[in-house]
């Protein structure tokens, strides 16, 4: 087994030590494997690690970390590689530690509404497992079918449900971590009231793997809402659609999800997934996807009727109500495939912008004006309920590539 490169002090002796810790079959140094782990979903970034290790336990990670710390070898932890911020990129080479083998749900504690899991569990797998127990883990990133819980911790992921239920940091009770100078440590904060000492758990959440490698996670759960209602609201004006978002909250409503998709993105995605459930016509500019959930169906129906009445003030077109679980699934499928569809269609530069909800119209207007000024086309979609907009740009030339990196 030979290393492809030796930019650092990594040498055959290290490989032998790693082999004794995790076994030769879980060590990768061939070019094809290194290329696979050299990128995530961040645009046009590619950094080769010198070696990929796939440990199974926290003890194995700790042993690897001690060797790397002792000899000054860079370490990059990696989950599923679905991130868009470069958090899993081994830009310094060295060792890449993949958590993909640490993929067990260890315990679902129904009495205390908690789940204990390893970091390599796929988010949707965990959500489905707790759902079978009548429990709910709300953070819902668009890549939930492939991303890992550990990566969600590193990125403090959110998703459509964040508008009502919050993001990952709001559900992390306890983490076991491996760090360079200590075998492992646990910040024990599983009780509802624990106000003493430094909150190391929340320091780790969102740190993109720069402070520690998470090896075990305890998450808070909540009871699964009994009902949810979903409607699709078309608008003839993108600005009116974004104005309506703020109006919903000003009237005192808190949807469980409130998503905005402009018409160009919707057309692309409809073709991509062969979806005909959503009416798309040339006089439409954007759609809002609005969901409410709870335990009292009559209350939810009244809330949806009130929201629909409110939206008429913002030039909403005919509203489509999802009648059953299949229609709801089709609507959410369409929304969750937008990023993939527009990327394939050539919108390869992605920027995230977060503004106060009331500033959404100004943000969208500004993006469109910049497009006209610099000769590029952009589509906007995202979690409008909490002011988080994804902006996808179709690159027309090197001028745009330079502009986005200023």
């Amino acid at each position: 087994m030979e290393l492809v490169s030796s930019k650092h002090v990594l040498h055959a002796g290290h490989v032998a030590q790693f082999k004794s810790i995790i076994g030769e079959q879980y060590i990768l140094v061939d070019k094809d494997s290194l290329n696979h782990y050299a990128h995530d979903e961040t645009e046009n970034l590619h950094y080769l690690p010198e070696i990929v290790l796939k440990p199974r336990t926290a003890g194995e990670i700790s042993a690897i970390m001690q060797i790397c710390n002792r000899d000054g070898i860079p370490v990059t932890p990696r989950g599923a590689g679905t991130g868009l911020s470069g958090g899993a990129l081994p830009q310094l080479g060295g060792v890449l530690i993949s958590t993909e083998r640490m993929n067990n749900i260890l315990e679902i504690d129904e009495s205390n509404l908690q789940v204990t899991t390893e970091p390599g569990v796929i988010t949707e797998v965990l959500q489905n497992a707790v759902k079978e127990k009548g429990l709910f883990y709300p953070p819902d990133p668009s890549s939930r079918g492939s991303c890992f819980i550990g990566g969600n911790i590193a990125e403090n992921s959110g998703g459509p449900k964040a508008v009502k239920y919050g993001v990952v940091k709001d559900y992390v009770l306890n983490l076991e971590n491996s760090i360079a100078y200590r075998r492992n440590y646990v910040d024990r904060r599983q009780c509802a009231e624990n106000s003493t000492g430094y909150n190391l758990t929340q320091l780790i959440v969102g740190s993109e793997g720069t402070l520690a490698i998470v090896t075990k996670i305890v998450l808070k759960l909540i009871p699964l809402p009994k009902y949810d209602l979903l409607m699709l609201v078309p608008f003839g004006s993108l600005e009116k659609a974004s104005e309506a978002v703020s109006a919903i909250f000003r009237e005192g409503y808190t949807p469980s999800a409130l998503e905005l998709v402009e018409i160009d993105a919707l057309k692309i995605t409809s073709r991509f997934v062969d979806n005909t459930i959503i009416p798309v016509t040339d006089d439409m500019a954007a759609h809002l996807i609005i969901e409410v959930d709870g335990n009292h169906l009559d209350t939810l129906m009244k809330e949806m009727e009130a929201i629909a009445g409110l939206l008429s003030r913002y030039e909403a077109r005919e509203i489509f109500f999802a009648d059953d679980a299949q229609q709801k699934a089709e609507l959410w499928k369409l929304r969750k495939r937008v990023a993939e569809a527009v990327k394939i269609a050539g919108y390869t530069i992605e920027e995230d912008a977060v503004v106060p909800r009331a500033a959404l119209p100004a943000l969208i207007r500004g993006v469109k004006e910049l497009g006209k000024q610099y000769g590029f086309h952009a589509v906007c979609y995202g979690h409008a309920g909490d002011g988080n907009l994804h902006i996808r740009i179709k690159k027309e030339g090197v001028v745009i590539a330079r502009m986005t990196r200023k």
Side-chain angles (χ1 to χ4, degrees):
M1 182 176 289
E2 296 183 1
L3 294 171
V4 171
S5 64
S6 56
K7 292 179 285 187
H8 300 97
V9 293
L10 192 60
H11 52 66
H14 291 122
V15 176
Q17 293 177 71
F18 297 147
K19 179 179 176 180
S20 69
I21 295 169
I22 64 174
E24 184 173 3
Q25 66 269 41
Y26 301 117
I27 299 175
L28 305 176
V29 295
D30 61 285
K31 287 185 177 180
D32 287 343
S33 295
L34 297 185
N35 273 304
H36 173 73
Y37 289 93
H39 64 89
D40 57 10
E41 292 301 314
T42 313
E43 181 221 355
N44 294 335
L45 295 178
H46 193 273
Y47 299 95
L48 282 172
E50 295 171 63
I51 190 170
V52 175
L53 306 179
K54 299 182 180 182
R56 175 65 192 89
T57 67
E60 291 173 355
I61 290 181
S62 295
I64 293 166
M65 292 293 287
Q66 289 182 63
I67 293 169
C68 293
N69 183 53
R70 180 193 68 201
D71 293 343
I73 302 170
V75 176
T76 302
R78 178 187 173 98
T82 60
L84 293 164
S85 66
L89 296 175
Q91 63 185 87
L92 298 178
V95 171
L96 185 144
I97 295 180
S98 170
T99 60
E100 60 197 87
R101 294 179 61 223
M102 303 178 72
N103 58 1
N104 290 328
I105 298 173
L106 301 175
E107 180 188 12
I108 300 175
D109 184 347
E110 297 177 62
S111 298
N112 292 303
L113 281 75
Q114 297 177 5
V115 58
T116 303
T117 180
E118 293 180 327
V121 173
I122 293 173
T123 302
E124 188 172 22
V125 170
L126 184 138
Q127 289 175 322
N128 290 339
V130 302
K131 185 177 182 179
E132 290 179 1
K133 307 288 187 180
L135 301 172
F136 185 32
Y137 175 66
D140 191 32
S142 60
S143 58
R144 68 174 184 160
S146 55
C147 63
F148 291 171
I149 286 291
N152 295 171
I153 299 294
E155 297 291 335
N156 192 23
S157 302
K161 306 289 187 182
V163 63
K164 180 177 180 179
Y165 292 107
V167 295
V168 164
K169 70 177 179 64
D170 301 305
Y171 294 87
V172 179
L173 294 173
N174 186 10
L175 296 176
E176 177 187 81
N177 303 274
S178 288
I179 54 180
Y181 59 86
R182 186 171 174 182
R183 186 168 181 83
N184 59 62
Y185 72 87
V186 179
D187 187 18
R188 300 188 182 279
R189 292 178 177 267
Q190 287 177 232
C191 298
E193 183 175 341
N194 188 336
S195 58
T196 58
Y198 297 111
N199 192 340
L200 298 179
T201 291
Q202 290 301 318
L203 183 65
I204 298 299
V205 176
S207 64
E208 298 189 15
T210 59
L211 300 177
I213 300 178
V214 174
T215 53
K216 187 162 65 175
I217 304 155
V218 181
L219 297 168
K220 178 179 73 173
L221 304 173
I222 61 176
L224 183 70
K226 294 179 181 179
Y227 306 103
D228 60 77
L229 301 178
L230 189 66
M231 66 179 174
L232 180 79
V233 188
F235 291 82
S237 162
L238 188 55
E239 283 201 41
K240 287 294 183 182
S242 55
E243 288 174 12
V245 172
S246 179
I248 290 171
F249 290 89
R250 290 199 308 271
E251 290 292 321
Y253 303 111
T254 304
S256 52
L258 206 173
E259 300 287 294
L260 181 147
V261 185
E262 74 161 279
I263 196 64
D264 288 342
L266 193 59
K267 287 179 179 178
I268 293 168
T269 312
S270 293
R271 294 193 297 268
F272 182 73
V273 301
D274 192 25
N275 187 298
T276 58
I277 192 171
I278 296 179
V280 177
T281 59
D282 291 336
D283 62 338
M284 294 178 183
H287 286 70
L288 292 182
I289 298 173
I290 303 171
E291 179 192 78
V292 297
D293 67 2
N295 295 321
H296 303 286
L297 184 57
D298 289 344
T299 301
L300 295 178
M301 293 183 71
K302 290 178 181 177
E303 187 171 341
M304 283 296 246
E305 290 172 3
I307 292 174
L310 169 65
L311 296 179
S312 64
R313 302 182 215 163
Y314 294 87
E315 303 175 14
R317 306 292 176 82
E318 184 177 357
I319 296 174
F320 172 80
F321 291 90
D323 292 328
D324 53 37
Q326 182 178 351
Q327 289 186 346
K328 293 173 187 176
E330 287 296 313
L331 280 178
W332 279 122
K333 177 183 177 182
L334 198 66
R335 166 61 188 92
K336 290 182 178 296
R337 299 295 292 276
V338 170
E340 181 183 3
V342 297
K343 182 177 181 179
I344 291 173
Y347 295 83
T348 56
I349 300 173
E350 179 170 30
E351 301 292 341
D352 263 18
V354 181
V355 298
R357 285 187 289 261
L360 278 172
L363 172 63
I364 292 173
R365 183 168 57 251
V367 168
K368 297 301 182 179
E369 289 174 354
L370 284 172
K372 293 177 182 177
Q373 182 180 352
Y374 289 96
F376 67 83
H377 192 258
V379 293
C380 302
Y381 59 94
H383 316 311
D386 53 8
N388 181 1
L389 202 65
H390 305 308
I391 302 166
R392 281 277 189 173
I393 298 169
K394 179 178 282 189
K395 184 167 55 178
E396 302 295 345
V398 294
V399 173
I400 304 307
R402 292 195 196 105
M403 185 191 71
T404 59
R405 285 164 175 78
K406 285 184 179 179

